[in-house]
Amino acid sequence: MLLDFDRLGWWRWALGGFTAAVAAFLLLPIVFIAALSFGSSQWLIFPPPSWTTRWYSELFADQRWLDAALNSLKIGLVVTVLSVVIGLAASFALVRGRFRGRETLKALFLTPMILPVVVLAVALYAFFLRLGINGTMTGFVIAHLLVALPFSILALTTALEGFDKSIEDAAILCGASPFEAKMRVTLPGISAGLFSAAIFSFLTSWDEVVLAIFMASPTLQTLPVRIWSTLRQDLTPVVASVSTLLVLVTIVLMLLVALIRKGLSKP
Amino acid sequence: MSSLTESRSVTGRQGGRRMPRLFGEVGPALPAFLLIVFFFVAPVVALLLRSVLEPVPGLQNYETLLGSATYIGVFANTFIVSTVVTAAALAIGFPVAWALVVMPMTWSRIVFAILILSMWTNLLARTYAWMVLLQRTGLINKMLMAVGLTDEPLTLVNNLTGVTIGMTYIMLPFVILPLYGVISNIDKAVLRAAALCGANRWQALTRVLLPLAAPGMAAGGLMVFVMSLGYFVTPALLGGTSNMMLAELIAQLVQSLTDWGLGSAAAFVLLLSTLVLYGLMLKFFGTSRLGGQ
């Protein structure tokens, strides 16, 4: 009764209306920011008196924003490659291995995802100060890799569990070396998982704020750090234009994930 | 090494030397293992040690933390905000998860897309939006005044109200997605049976659907509560300086005051609360719900 849409009676309108309101609530800030970024008001009056692209020009004219974006991109790409490679190797061990403590090992690998990131940030900050790599590219990559790796391992263990190992064995029986079989049979077979792992690793690194605030130095900042320090001073509309561009990046990457899952899940 | 392992698994022969086989199977996990041990476990343990070693060995950092009204206030803020956010997220999330199960596919797809988009949109972008929406001259105050709910603008930001609104917004998908999984696994026949036995809709909801969804509510609620306890960005931007939350306190003690002993002790309190709550979650709901994205 309550789980049959046709038999809900007027409750269905109440439930539907409520859900629509919540969906609007979830969408509101995202749409609002996009509208705001084209508004002419310096003080973020809404609805704005007129429309402008001034904040975008200011954004692109400011070398500091461009540098920050470039740093984020560089760190994100390095983290993505490392996260997928290390995650893939670990996932093979976690899925194919028959050793004691496998579950514990997987839990250990996923812990950085569930622990409060501020604890990890403070701990790494202290550690990196000792090692002298605070505020360097290496520091950023290690810190971001720690939180990206769990996403990669989750995506890749799921993909490997769903892959029939006998296909790989068949390739070996037909004369392929085990390495060749993995490269030419197994990896193409789990390519959807590899793409998800890569995209989620990239997004995790690209959006990371808390770790980045602690890793950053005056000379090396990522985009979120730059937004953070700007927001601590004032609510300039330039942040609205950066945010809108960030939302666009997210939408493109999410569409990519959806398309890849759709396209590659078909045999 | 790996060729040995592979050829054996193909031909199905068993036995042989144990160590090489074990290395072939565990070996690939080594880089990830070293990374986690060296850059995660070791730094966290080192940090915890500082809480009892600095400035002098002993438990005085914990005494300071638990003995001062300021710090107790921070713990109280954290606890209250996390509780309200969890309750609000569950109250709003349950009807939505339920609707997602019964709705026609086209509609539920759209809601899912919005959920995923909101979840993966940059945290700072979302928080910035709320900073602007909630300010005195912001859209929310204008709307409240237009419908006559208030005569003058309310202070919705730089206080715990702002933090609660912003965090509820952020946590909603984390309640809705797992709850959707739980409700969609409930057998429709059970609710039809309730109707056949004469239950009206309200009775079916309170005596059948809600109890059946309760484990999911508890698991999702606990997860949101734990995440809220350690949240840093949103409280720091939407909250005021006078009512801090725990994560901000840790950051401030370490970064601005460089009081590593006290900061580490506060971090340990947060870590311990998180681990205890996750432990409870594992005990009651098994491993399957953990780490579900």
Side-chain angles (χ1 to χ4, degrees), chain B residues 19-50:
Chain B
M19 283 319 284
R21 185 192 69 87
L22 197 65
F23 184 78
E25 289 190 357
V26 189
L30 207 58
F33 183 73
L34 291 178
L35 181 84
I36 301 272
V37 168
F38 198 62
F39 289 109
F40 176 71
V41 179
V44 170
V45 171
L47 186 75
L48 302 183
L49 284 178
R50 289 181 92 158

Short mmCIF file of all heavy atoms in Angstrom, two decimals, chain B residues 19-50:
data_model
loop_
_atom_site.label_atom_id
_atom_site.label_comp_id
_atom_site.label_asym_id
_atom_site.label_seq_id
_atom_site.Cartn_x
_atom_site.Cartn_y
_atom_site.Cartn_z
N MET B 19 55.83 -19.26 0.90
CA MET B 19 56.21 -17.84 0.94
C MET B 19 56.09 -17.13 -0.41
O MET B 19 55.49 -16.07 -0.49
CB MET B 19 57.62 -17.68 1.52
CG MET B 19 57.68 -17.82 3.02
SD MET B 19 56.31 -17.00 3.88
CE MET B 19 56.85 -15.30 3.75
N PRO B 20 56.65 -17.71 -1.50
CA PRO B 20 56.52 -17.02 -2.79
C PRO B 20 55.06 -16.83 -3.18
O PRO B 20 54.67 -15.80 -3.69
CB PRO B 20 57.22 -17.97 -3.77
CG PRO B 20 58.12 -18.78 -2.94
CD PRO B 20 57.45 -18.93 -1.62
N ARG B 21 54.22 -17.84 -2.92
CA ARG B 21 52.82 -17.71 -3.29
C ARG B 21 52.20 -16.54 -2.53
O ARG B 21 51.53 -15.69 -3.09
CB ARG B 21 52.07 -19.01 -2.94
CG ARG B 21 50.62 -18.99 -3.41
CD ARG B 21 49.82 -20.13 -2.81
NE ARG B 21 49.62 -19.97 -1.38
CZ ARG B 21 48.61 -19.29 -0.87
NH1 ARG B 21 47.74 -18.74 -1.66
NH2 ARG B 21 48.47 -19.17 0.44
N LEU B 22 52.48 -16.51 -1.22
CA LEU B 22 51.92 -15.46 -0.38
C LEU B 22 52.38 -14.10 -0.86
O LEU B 22 51.59 -13.17 -0.99
CB LEU B 22 52.34 -15.69 1.07
CG LEU B 22 51.48 -14.92 2.07
CD1 LEU B 22 50.07 -15.45 2.04
CD2 LEU B 22 52.06 -15.04 3.47
N PHE B 23 53.69 -14.03 -1.24
CA PHE B 23 54.19 -12.73 -1.68
C PHE B 23 53.50 -12.31 -2.98
O PHE B 23 53.14 -11.16 -3.16
CB PHE B 23 55.71 -12.75 -1.86
CG PHE B 23 56.24 -11.41 -2.22
CD1 PHE B 23 56.39 -10.44 -1.23
CD2 PHE B 23 56.51 -11.07 -3.54
CE1 PHE B 23 56.83 -9.17 -1.55
CE2 PHE B 23 56.95 -9.79 -3.86
CZ PHE B 23 57.11 -8.85 -2.88
N GLY B 24 53.32 -13.28 -3.87
CA GLY B 24 52.66 -12.98 -5.13
C GLY B 24 51.26 -12.44 -4.92
O GLY B 24 50.79 -11.61 -5.68
N GLU B 25 50.60 -12.90 -3.87
CA GLU B 25 49.22 -12.47 -3.64
C GLU B 25 49.13 -11.18 -2.85
O GLU B 25 48.28 -10.35 -3.10
CB GLU B 25 48.44 -13.59 -2.93
CG GLU B 25 48.18 -14.75 -3.86
CD GLU B 25 47.22 -15.75 -3.27
OE1 GLU B 25 46.81 -15.56 -2.12
OE2 GLU B 25 46.90 -16.73 -3.97
N VAL B 26 50.00 -11.04 -1.83
CA VAL B 26 49.93 -9.84 -0.99
C VAL B 26 50.75 -8.70 -1.58
O VAL B 26 50.41 -7.54 -1.44
CB VAL B 26 50.44 -10.14 0.45
CG1 VAL B 26 50.17 -8.97 1.37
CG2 VAL B 26 49.79 -11.39 0.99
N GLY B 27 51.82 -9.06 -2.28
CA GLY B 27 52.77 -8.09 -2.82
C GLY B 27 52.17 -6.85 -3.47
O GLY B 27 52.56 -5.73 -3.13
N PRO B 28 51.20 -7.03 -4.37
CA PRO B 28 50.64 -5.85 -5.05
C PRO B 28 50.03 -4.82 -4.10
O PRO B 28 49.90 -3.65 -4.44
CB PRO B 28 49.56 -6.44 -5.96
CG PRO B 28 49.96 -7.85 -6.16
CD PRO B 28 50.67 -8.28 -4.92
N ALA B 29 49.66 -5.26 -2.89
CA ALA B 29 49.05 -4.32 -1.94
C ALA B 29 50.12 -3.53 -1.19
O ALA B 29 49.80 -2.63 -0.42
CB ALA B 29 48.17 -5.07 -0.95
N LEU B 30 51.39 -3.89 -1.42
CA LEU B 30 52.48 -3.30 -0.64
C LEU B 30 52.59 -1.77 -0.79
O LEU B 30 52.69 -1.08 0.23
CB LEU B 30 53.80 -3.98 -0.99
CG LEU B 30 54.86 -3.96 0.11
CD1 LEU B 30 54.34 -4.63 1.38
CD2 LEU B 30 56.14 -4.62 -0.36
N PRO B 31 52.57 -1.24 -2.02
CA PRO B 31 52.69 0.24 -2.13
C PRO B 31 51.59 0.95 -1.33
O PRO B 31 51.89 1.90 -0.59
CB PRO B 31 52.52 0.49 -3.63
CG PRO B 31 52.87 -0.79 -4.30
CD PRO B 31 52.50 -1.88 -3.34
N ALA B 32 50.35 0.50 -1.48
CA ALA B 32 49.25 1.14 -0.74
C ALA B 32 49.47 0.99 0.76
O ALA B 32 49.29 1.94 1.53
CB ALA B 32 47.91 0.51 -1.15
N PHE B 33 49.92 -0.21 1.17
CA PHE B 33 50.13 -0.48 2.58
C PHE B 33 51.20 0.46 3.16
O PHE B 33 51.01 1.08 4.20
CB PHE B 33 50.54 -1.95 2.76
CG PHE B 33 50.72 -2.35 4.19
CD1 PHE B 33 49.62 -2.52 5.03
CD2 PHE B 33 51.99 -2.56 4.71
CE1 PHE B 33 49.78 -2.89 6.36
CE2 PHE B 33 52.17 -2.93 6.04
CZ PHE B 33 51.06 -3.10 6.86
N LEU B 34 52.34 0.57 2.44
CA LEU B 34 53.42 1.44 2.92
C LEU B 34 52.96 2.88 3.00
O LEU B 34 53.24 3.60 3.97
CB LEU B 34 54.65 1.32 2.01
CG LEU B 34 55.37 -0.03 2.08
CD1 LEU B 34 56.54 -0.07 1.11
CD2 LEU B 34 55.87 -0.30 3.51
N LEU B 35 52.22 3.31 1.98
CA LEU B 35 51.72 4.69 1.95
C LEU B 35 50.86 4.96 3.19
O LEU B 35 51.03 5.97 3.88
CB LEU B 35 50.91 4.92 0.68
CG LEU B 35 50.35 6.32 0.50
CD1 LEU B 35 51.40 7.23 -0.11
CD2 LEU B 35 49.10 6.33 -0.37
N ILE B 36 49.93 4.04 3.46
CA ILE B 36 49.00 4.25 4.57
C ILE B 36 49.74 4.20 5.91
O ILE B 36 49.52 5.03 6.79
CB ILE B 36 47.89 3.17 4.55
CG1 ILE B 36 47.13 3.22 3.24
CG2 ILE B 36 46.97 3.32 5.74
CD1 ILE B 36 45.99 4.15 3.19
N VAL B 37 50.66 3.22 6.04
CA VAL B 37 51.36 3.09 7.32
C VAL B 37 52.26 4.30 7.57
O VAL B 37 52.26 4.89 8.65
CB VAL B 37 52.18 1.78 7.37
CG1 VAL B 37 53.13 1.78 8.56
CG2 VAL B 37 51.24 0.59 7.46
N PHE B 38 53.00 4.69 6.52
CA PHE B 38 54.00 5.73 6.70
C PHE B 38 53.38 7.13 6.80
O PHE B 38 53.79 7.95 7.60
CB PHE B 38 55.00 5.68 5.53
CG PHE B 38 56.28 6.39 5.82
CD1 PHE B 38 57.10 5.98 6.86
CD2 PHE B 38 56.67 7.47 5.05
CE1 PHE B 38 58.28 6.65 7.13
CE2 PHE B 38 57.85 8.15 5.31
CZ PHE B 38 58.66 7.73 6.36
N PHE B 39 52.35 7.39 5.99
CA PHE B 39 51.80 8.74 5.95
C PHE B 39 50.44 8.88 6.61
O PHE B 39 49.86 9.96 6.60
CB PHE B 39 51.72 9.23 4.50
CG PHE B 39 53.06 9.51 3.91
CD1 PHE B 39 53.58 8.69 2.92
CD2 PHE B 39 53.82 10.59 4.35
CE1 PHE B 39 54.82 8.94 2.38
CE2 PHE B 39 55.06 10.84 3.82
CZ PHE B 39 55.56 10.02 2.83
N PHE B 40 49.90 7.79 7.13
CA PHE B 40 48.61 7.92 7.80
C PHE B 40 48.70 7.42 9.23
O PHE B 40 48.53 8.18 10.18
CB PHE B 40 47.54 7.16 7.00
CG PHE B 40 46.19 7.16 7.64
CD1 PHE B 40 45.44 8.32 7.70
CD2 PHE B 40 45.67 6.00 8.20
CE1 PHE B 40 44.19 8.34 8.30
CE2 PHE B 40 44.42 6.01 8.80
CZ PHE B 40 43.68 7.18 8.84
N VAL B 41 49.04 6.14 9.40
CA VAL B 41 49.08 5.57 10.74
C VAL B 41 50.17 6.25 11.58
O VAL B 41 49.89 6.73 12.69
CB VAL B 41 49.31 4.04 10.68
CG1 VAL B 41 49.38 3.46 12.08
CG2 VAL B 41 48.21 3.38 9.87
N ALA B 42 51.39 6.33 11.03
CA ALA B 42 52.50 6.90 11.80
C ALA B 42 52.24 8.36 12.22
O ALA B 42 52.37 8.68 13.40
CB ALA B 42 53.80 6.77 11.03
N PRO B 43 51.85 9.24 11.29
CA PRO B 43 51.61 10.63 11.72
C PRO B 43 50.49 10.75 12.75
O PRO B 43 50.59 11.55 13.68
CB PRO B 43 51.21 11.34 10.42
CG PRO B 43 51.77 10.52 9.33
CD PRO B 43 51.75 9.12 9.82
N VAL B 44 49.42 9.94 12.61
CA VAL B 44 48.32 10.03 13.56
C VAL B 44 48.78 9.57 14.94
O VAL B 44 48.51 10.21 15.96
CB VAL B 44 47.08 9.23 13.07
CG1 VAL B 44 46.04 9.12 14.17
CG2 VAL B 44 46.47 9.90 11.85
N VAL B 45 49.54 8.45 14.97
CA VAL B 45 50.05 7.96 16.25
C VAL B 45 51.00 9.00 16.87
O VAL B 45 50.93 9.30 18.07
CB VAL B 45 50.76 6.60 16.07
CG1 VAL B 45 51.49 6.20 17.35
CG2 VAL B 45 49.75 5.53 15.68
N ALA B 46 51.87 9.57 16.03
CA ALA B 46 52.81 10.58 16.53
C ALA B 46 52.06 11.76 17.13
O ALA B 46 52.44 12.30 18.18
CB ALA B 46 53.72 11.05 15.40
N LEU B 47 50.96 12.16 16.47
CA LEU B 47 50.17 13.28 16.96
C LEU B 47 49.57 12.96 18.34
O LEU B 47 49.59 13.79 19.25
CB LEU B 47 49.05 13.61 15.97
CG LEU B 47 48.24 14.85 16.29
CD1 LEU B 47 49.04 16.09 15.96
CD2 LEU B 47 46.92 14.87 15.54
N LEU B 48 49.07 11.73 18.46
CA LEU B 48 48.47 11.35 19.73
C LEU B 48 49.49 11.33 20.85
O LEU B 48 49.21 11.68 21.99
CB LEU B 48 47.78 9.99 19.60
CG LEU B 48 46.69 9.97 18.52
CD1 LEU B 48 45.99 8.63 18.49
CD2 LEU B 48 45.69 11.09 18.74
N LEU B 49 50.73 10.92 20.49
CA LEU B 49 51.79 10.91 21.49
C LEU B 49 52.08 12.32 21.99
O LEU B 49 52.32 12.54 23.18
CB LEU B 49 53.06 10.28 20.91
CG LEU B 49 53.04 8.76 20.80
CD1 LEU B 49 54.32 8.24 20.18
CD2 LEU B 49 52.84 8.13 22.18
N ARG B 50 52.02 13.27 21.06
CA ARG B 50 52.30 14.66 21.47
C ARG B 50 51.31 15.13 22.52
O ARG B 50 51.64 15.99 23.35
CB ARG B 50 52.23 15.60 20.26
CG ARG B 50 53.37 15.41 19.30
CD ARG B 50 53.26 16.38 18.15
NE ARG B 50 54.01 17.60 18.44
CZ ARG B 50 54.45 18.42 17.49
NH1 ARG B 50 54.19 18.17 16.24
NH2 ARG B 50 55.12 19.50 17.81
#
